[in-house]
Amino acid sequence: MPCVCFMEPVEVGFFIEASTLLAILYLAQRTVGEKEVWNAKGYVQESSGLRRNGQGKKESNDLSYLHEEEHLIPKSRCNDRCSPGYRKASNGGFHVCCYDCVPCSEGEMSNVTDSDSCHRCPDEEWPDERKVRCVPKTYDFLSYEKDNVALISPVTASSFSAVTLFILGNFIYYWNTPIVKANNRAVSFILLVSILLSFLCVFLFLGQPVDVTCRLRQMSFGIFFSTAVSSVLAKTVTVCIAFKATKPGSPWKKWVTLKVSNYVVIVCSSVQALICAMWLSVSPPYHEYDHNSYQGMIIIQCNEGSVIWFYSVLGYMGILAAVSFVLAFMVRTLPDSFNEAKYITFSMLVFCSVWIAMIPAYLSTKGKDAVAVEKFAILTSCAGVLGCIFFPKLYILLFRTDLISRKMMLGKN
């Protein structure tokens, strides 16, 4: 049984052979009441025979008609037209006039009826909900106006910075007390300043990224953090040398008079500064536009330039933290009244745990989520070092002033 097809006119500019016309007429045959209408070349067949239909106009209801003078032939189809936002797709049937209407794929649109294919929007645009036109994509980054994380981070960083300034002020006020002198007050001062600057560098991670902020955020983070970890390492080395030199005939006595801790801070910080300088000279960070990670959005983010240099900075800080942890763990059982190795051990344990957990989280996120993960790691690790090392001393300075005397520090009650 032939397929029931709707007829539409199609212009042709060539002569139609008789056999072809007969085939077209056969497909175009439709029954209307008691009449059989052949809508080609203006002829209508009735029960009494063929007759010319005047000017070749449509004789009955909704039947298509063709003008002989315009050289039109019928075009068959057996389903409704595909609306804009859809495209034609073969349904695997025998008749080519039958097809399915398939929605355009993500990122594509179609604004014509019965489109054979959909068209992909430019990188800066995205289809609307109906997929009939392309609309501009929205730009997205870690903004103060849109993201709660962007509002919480500066408040948290400001709070920690205020606490750091409070501790620093108390250490300056009690500068000549034994508890401040006990473990190299100059290094403690450097450590507090570097922690303060690390808290403040979080503000560079907020707002729309540009080339300057992309470079400053990583360089400042790397140098300030390395200075803080180098100061912790210097304090650990000071504890180790002080107690090893108490043994009779110990070769460590000659190191006591030297400012070993100062050299440790200078050398270790300089190495990180050199790594950052090479990073800037070889492949500096820059801002970029990510068109593909999220549908309908363009992510403005910082590209690290060189992943090798970025992880070199993190790896160097990890080495310093690991060495500090091992040394502090080795001398943690020395007399408690003079020894802060236990606090250094806990601080480096927090530091290493945060950054070990941060790396897979950072690699599995993109755009502003990756920025939020890095900010969280900076705030958490700095707060861990600040709390573990300085809160016990601050408690004694504020609430247990009777323990500040030299005799109590040496454990001679």
Side-chain angles (χ1 to χ4, degrees):
M1 180 177 179
C3 169
V4 178
C5 297
F6 302 98
M7 311 305 299
E8 294 182 352
V10 177
E11 294 189 11
V12 295
F14 54 87
F15 179 74
I16 302 177
E17 296 180 357
S19 59
T20 304
L21 179 60
L22 288 176
I24 294 173
L25 293 176
Y26 175 76
L27 288 175
Q29 182 179 5
R30 297 185 61 184
T31 301
V32 181
E34 296 180 354
K35 298 180 180 180
E36 287 188 348
V37 180
W38 302 72
N39 54 353
K41 300 192 71 174
Y43 287 97
V44 179
Q45 180 181 0
E46 295 180 336
S47 57
S48 59
L50 287 173
R51 67 177 177 82
R52 181 65 182 245
N53 184 21
Q55 301 299 323
K57 295 183 179 180
K58 182 171 62 175
E59 179 73 9
S60 61
N61 298 335
D62 59 345
L63 297 180
S64 302
Y65 63 94
L66 300 169
H67 288 274
E68 181 181 13
E69 293 78 14
E70 296 178 355
H71 304 289
L72 302 178
I73 62 173
K75 178 181 179 182
S76 301
R77 57 186 177 88
C78 61
N79 52 275
D80 294 333
R81 292 175 177 271
C82 293
S83 304
Y86 292 80
R87 64 175 177 84
K88 295 193 295 185
S90 174
N91 58 8
F94 176 76
H95 300 287
V96 296
C97 62
C98 301
Y99 50 84
D100 294 329
C101 295
V102 180
C104 292
S105 303
E106 294 294 335
E108 296 182 344
M109 54 76 67
S110 171
N111 57 359
V112 297
T113 304
D114 271 351
S115 176
D116 292 325
S117 61
C118 298
H119 304 283
R120 180 164 293 277
C121 293
D123 290 340
E124 295 78 13
E125 296 180 345
W126 188 256
D128 61 355
E129 294 182 358
R130 297 174 55 202
K131 297 183 178 180
V132 296
R133 64 190 182 96
C134 294
V135 296
K137 291 183 178 180
T138 57
Y139 290 90
D140 192 37
F141 52 89
L142 200 60
S143 172
Y144 293 96
E145 301 176 354
K146 301 178 181 178
D147 302 287
N148 293 329
V149 177
L151 294 175
I152 296 173
S153 298
V155 173
T156 307
S158 301
S159 301
F160 283 135
S161 299
V163 173
T164 307
L165 286 173
F166 179 74
I167 297 174
L168 185 59
N170 279 275
F171 266 62
I172 294 175
Y173 182 78
Y174 294 100
W175 189 255
N176 293 318
T177 57
I179 193 171
V180 176
K181 293 180 179 179
N183 199 246
N184 200 328
R185 57 188 176 186
V187 174
S188 297
F189 182 82
I190 295 174
L191 177 57
L192 284 170
V193 172
S194 59
I195 290 176
L196 175 62
L197 294 175
S198 298
F199 282 134
L200 294 178
C201 77
V202 170
F203 290 94
L204 293 173
F205 290 81
L206 302 175
Q208 181 175 342
V210 294
D211 289 342
V212 175
T213 55
C214 287
R215 295 171 186 177
L216 283 178
R217 67 168 61 170
Q218 299 299 348
M219 301 305 116
S220 59
F221 154 70
I223 294 174
F224 296 154
F225 243 57
S226 296
T227 304
V229 179
S230 300
S231 300
V232 174
L233 178 60
K235 293 170 75 67
T236 309
V237 171
T238 301
V239 174
C240 293
I241 293 176
F243 283 96
K244 287 184 177 295
T246 57
K247 298 179 181 180
S250 175
W252 291 95
K253 289 183 177 179
K254 63 181 180 179
W255 295 96
V256 175
T257 57
L258 299 176
K259 298 294 182 179
V260 178
S261 58
N262 295 342
Y263 291 116
V264 170
V265 173
I266 294 173
V267 172
C268 294
S269 302
S270 299
V271 172
Q272 185 69 293
L274 180 62
I275 294 175
C276 292
M278 294 177 64
W279 184 6
L280 283 176
S281 61
V282 174
S283 181
Y286 59 92
H287 79 283
E288 65 176 1
Y289 298 93
D290 183 6
H291 299 272
N292 303 318
S293 295
Y294 297 94
Q295 297 179 356
M297 288 191 298
I298 299 176
I299 306 299
I300 307 177
Q301 62 185 7
C302 287
N303 189 307
E304 310 305 340
S306 173
V307 177
I308 296 176
W309 287 108
F310 174 70
Y311 285 104
S312 296
V313 171
L314 293 182
Y316 181 72
M317 287 191 297
I319 292 174
L320 294 179
V323 173
S324 299
F325 174 78
V326 172
L327 292 179
F329 184 80
M330 291 172 58
V331 297
R332 73 190 187 283
T333 57
L334 295 176
D336 292 338
S337 58
F338 189 78
N339 183 20
E340 63 175 355
K342 288 194 303 183
Y343 307 128
I344 295 175
T345 302
F346 283 120
S347 66
M348 290 298 99
L349 183 61
V350 172
F351 182 91
C352 294
S353 300
V354 168
W355 284 98
I356 290 174
M358 172 265 182
I359 292 176
Y362 183 83
L363 293 176
S364 61
T365 54
K366 296 180 180 179
K368 62 181 181 181
D369 295 331
V371 176
V373 169
E374 189 172 358
K375 288 196 308 179
F376 175 79
I378 294 173
L379 293 173
T380 307
S381 55
C382 285
V385 174
L386 181 67
C388 291
I389 294 179
F390 292 102
F391 278 9
K393 294 182 179 181
L394 183 65
Y395 172 76
I396 295 175
L397 290 174
L398 296 179
F399 304 106
R400 297 298 302 274
T401 55
D402 56 311
L403 299 178
I404 299 179
S405 66
R406 183 179 296 275
K407 289 183 179 181
M408 293 301 299
M409 288 296 300
L410 296 176
K412 298 178 182 179
N413 298 324

